[in-house]
Amino acid sequence: VVIIAISDQLLNIADKSICKFLVLYLAGFYILSDEVNLNKISSLRYYNLVIMFVTDVICAYMFIYCNNYNRIVCGILSYIACWFGILTIIGFARIGFNQNNKLINFFTKYSFLFYIFHFMWLAMIQYYLIQYTNHVVTIYIVSILLGYIFTIPTCVLVANIPIIHSLFGIKKK
């Protein structure tokens, strides 16, 4: 965590540190390339969730309610919450998504197309929603629901039209 905090100050361009992202990438690659570590992360997923939640709540409390909060402490807590949040997601995903069922197979089949079209639909939906409301929670929930409702049929349609699916690098069936 201290290395990440230090690396955040190096090669910092427009508030984005190239060095920090390199450190995070290399740490993630080193830790997640070993099957033993992945099994341990999966077994500790509930502990990781608790650590992430507690540090995130403390950081949010300090930021919102403490007028003279320590930026360094809050930053370190934020990095801890981020790291344990990533470990939590990996742990739960490894248990929940490492199986074979219709839903997982469907999203695996269309994952590349979903990646392409989901953002496009979200951007369009949010563009039009902002014109009618500025309530953030409403925009968030409606855009997620409509994003899935429009993205999934778009993926299926593109995958089933031979001329179009070849444009997106989808192999023939």
Side-chain angles (χ1 to χ4, degrees):
V1 173
V2 174
I3 293 172
I4 296 170
I6 292 170
S7 68
D8 192 27
Q9 303 306 314
L10 303 174
L11 296 174
N12 196 338
I13 301 169
D15 234 9
K16 301 290 181 210
S17 172
I18 297 169
C19 191
K20 179 183 85 171
F21 290 119
L22 178 64
V23 167
L24 289 171
Y25 173 78
L26 291 175
F29 177 78
Y30 175 74
I31 292 168
L32 301 176
S33 64
D34 189 5
E35 194 71 27
V36 173
N37 290 340
L38 288 172
N39 291 334
K40 188 153 204 116
I41 289 169
S42 296
S43 68
L44 297 173
R45 65 190 180 279
Y46 291 107
Y47 296 110
N48 293 337
L49 178 64
V50 170
I51 293 169
M52 185 263 318
F53 183 75
V54 169
T55 55
D56 204 25
V57 167
I58 292 170
C59 185
Y61 178 82
M62 286 175 60
F63 183 76
I64 294 170
Y65 296 109
C66 298
N67 293 333
N68 296 325
Y69 71 95
N70 189 332
R71 289 183 183 267
I72 294 172
V73 173
C74 197
I76 290 172
L77 287 173
S78 177
Y79 288 129
I80 291 171
C82 182
W83 179 253
F84 281 96
I86 291 169
L87 294 179
T88 301
I89 291 169
I90 290 170
F92 280 105
R94 189 164 161 81
I95 299 297
F97 295 145
N98 203 9
Q99 52 186 307
N100 238 347
N101 62 39
K102 287 182 181 180
L103 184 66
I104 299 295
N105 290 339
F106 175 83
F107 279 109
T108 300
K109 181 179 178 183
Y110 295 112
S111 63
F112 182 68
L113 290 174
F114 193 90
Y115 174 76
I116 293 171
F117 292 116
H118 188 64
F119 181 74
M120 175 195 70
W121 280 114
L122 286 178
M124 286 193 300
I125 291 164
Q126 289 176 357
Y127 172 78
Y128 288 109
L129 281 175
I130 287 172
Q131 294 179 18
Y132 295 105
T133 182
N134 61 357
H135 190 256
V136 176
V137 175
T138 303
I139 293 171
Y140 180 76
I141 292 171
V142 170
S143 62
I144 286 177
L145 292 175
L146 290 179
Y148 277 103
I149 290 170
F150 290 130
T151 303
I152 292 170
T154 304
C155 293
V156 172
L157 184 69
V158 167
N160 290 319
I161 299 176
I163 296 171
I164 296 177
H165 79 256
S166 62
L167 294 173
F168 291 99
I170 307 301
K171 294 179 182 178
K172 293 181 181 179
K173 295 179 183 179

